[in-house]
Amino acid sequence: METLTPDLKAGLDLANDNRKVRRRPLADLTVIVPIGPDETSWPRILGCLSDLPTKAEVVLVGTSQSPSQLEQIVRECGIQCQVSWISTCVGRARQMNEGVAATSNSFLWFLHADSELTSSALQALDQSLESAPEAVHYFQLEFKDDGPRSMNLNTRGVRFRSRVLRLPFGDQGLCLSRATFVRLGSFNESVPYGEDHLLVWAAHRARVPLCEVNATIVTSSRRYRESGWLLTTLRNLGRTWYQALPQWVALLWSQRR
């Protein structure tokens, strides 16, 4: 058996040490939560993030000053990582971009303020990021029972859109590396809606893979109850396809070049 030289042995020992100290993705993760002017449900998402490692961070991006009870809420939620609040102008795309600019971690996870995570979400995301760090990751989506009964059709529609058409939306908890985010050009602040939709199209054009996390995010369906299920569903479909058609043409054109 060949004996290792001292230099080779030292190199192998160093490589093994590097593998041991390499942080898991969640320890290098920033969670960014845009909060609208009238949004009050954001403390719930902090409770869902209580198992994040201490090296992670959560950035709440609001349109007003930090609430005076923020420290108390963080303490009551039992969250161990750093939680900060920054203020910016109204606009979800701008809020999320500002959240990215205020942080330095390698992975970025964009969550809606009214989202709820299942118990397996954090572990599943950690595994998904470990296996495909270059991809755009998204979760399965379910609607809470605070809306119309017809929401089961919307759940099926989301599955078809994200799994077959490969078009997950922001309420599915998009997560990607900072390097990929920069490569895709960040969120488009010039559009009135669909900045998450456009980021996914940019991923398709850049041939960045999409990866479904084996866990579920639960979101509220109250706006379907308040505005009417049929009207809200048709409006969302119309906006999606109005925005998607030119993106599809651009994708085809990019593939021909």
Side-chain angles (χ1 to χ4, degrees):
M1 182 176 180
E2 183 179 357
T3 303
L4 296 177
T5 66
D7 288 342
L8 180 55
K9 185 177 185 302
L12 291 175
D13 289 343
L14 180 59
N16 289 330
D17 289 343
N18 287 338
R19 280 193 290 269
K20 290 177 183 177
V21 301
R22 183 168 61 89
R23 292 196 293 180
R24 295 289 302 182
L26 287 194
D28 202 9
L29 175 74
T30 295
V31 184
I32 298 170
V33 185
I35 300 173
D38 301 318
E39 182 62 63
T40 59
S41 61
W42 57 267
R44 187 180 298 116
I45 193 64
L46 291 182
C48 296
L49 299 171
S50 59
D51 289 334
L52 279 174
T54 56
K55 295 293 186 180
E57 60 181 332
V58 178
V59 178
L60 307 173
V61 190
T63 58
S64 60
Q65 295 301 312
S66 174
S68 58
Q69 70 274 28
L70 178 61
E71 290 187 9
Q72 178 183 350
I73 292 172
V74 171
R75 186 167 54 252
E76 291 176 351
C77 288
I79 191 167
Q80 300 300 312
C81 67
Q82 177 181 340
V83 178
S84 59
W85 179 292
I86 63 175
S87 302
T88 186
C89 299
V90 176
R92 178 175 289 172
R94 180 168 184 175
Q95 288 174 260
M96 291 188 289
N97 286 339
E98 292 280 354
V100 173
T103 67
S104 59
N105 281 350
S106 298
F107 292 99
L108 308 167
W109 189 13
F110 302 95
L111 289 177
H112 286 191
D114 61 353
S115 297
E116 295 182 22
L117 307 176
T118 55
S119 58
S120 62
L122 294 181
Q123 182 180 358
L125 178 60
D126 192 53
Q127 294 171 349
S128 191
L129 291 172
E130 179 77 12
S131 63
E134 77 289 352
V136 175
H137 301 259
Y138 65 93
F139 286 73
Q140 303 162 27
L141 185 70
E142 291 184 2
F143 292 94
K144 294 177 66 176
D145 58 0
D146 57 354
R149 292 182 179 179
S150 303
M151 291 307 299
N152 65 322
L153 297 177
N154 297 71
T155 300
R156 295 175 185 175
V158 170
R159 291 174 184 169
F160 177 81
R161 171 172 50 74
S162 57
R163 293 178 179 177
V164 178
L165 301 181
R166 309 297 292 165
L167 290 175
F169 283 0
D171 53 7
Q172 293 175 256
L174 301 181
C175 184
L176 66 164
S177 72
R178 179 179 297 272
T180 299
F181 182 76
V182 171
R183 178 185 173 192
L184 299 182
S186 71
F187 289 107
N188 188 337
E189 299 181 14
S190 67
V191 294
Y193 65 90
E195 68 286 333
D196 48 353
H197 183 206
L198 295 179
L199 188 75
V200 171
W201 278 106
H204 284 306
R205 289 194 301 274
R207 292 180 171 82
V208 173
L210 272 69
C211 184
E212 184 181 272
V213 180
N214 188 28
T216 300
I217 283 181
V218 181
T219 190
S220 174
S221 58
R222 65 182 184 276
R223 61 191 174 97
Y224 288 86
R225 183 189 68 240
E226 295 168 354
S227 302
W229 174 81
L230 182 60
L231 177 62
T232 304
T233 300
L234 291 177
R235 182 176 64 242
N236 290 345
L237 285 172
R239 286 180 170 181
T240 296
W241 291 112
Y242 177 80
Q243 200 173 53
L245 183 58
Q247 296 299 318
W248 179 68
V249 172
L251 175 61
L252 292 179
W253 180 255
S254 69
Q255 292 174 343
R256 293 182 58 185
R257 298 175 62 181

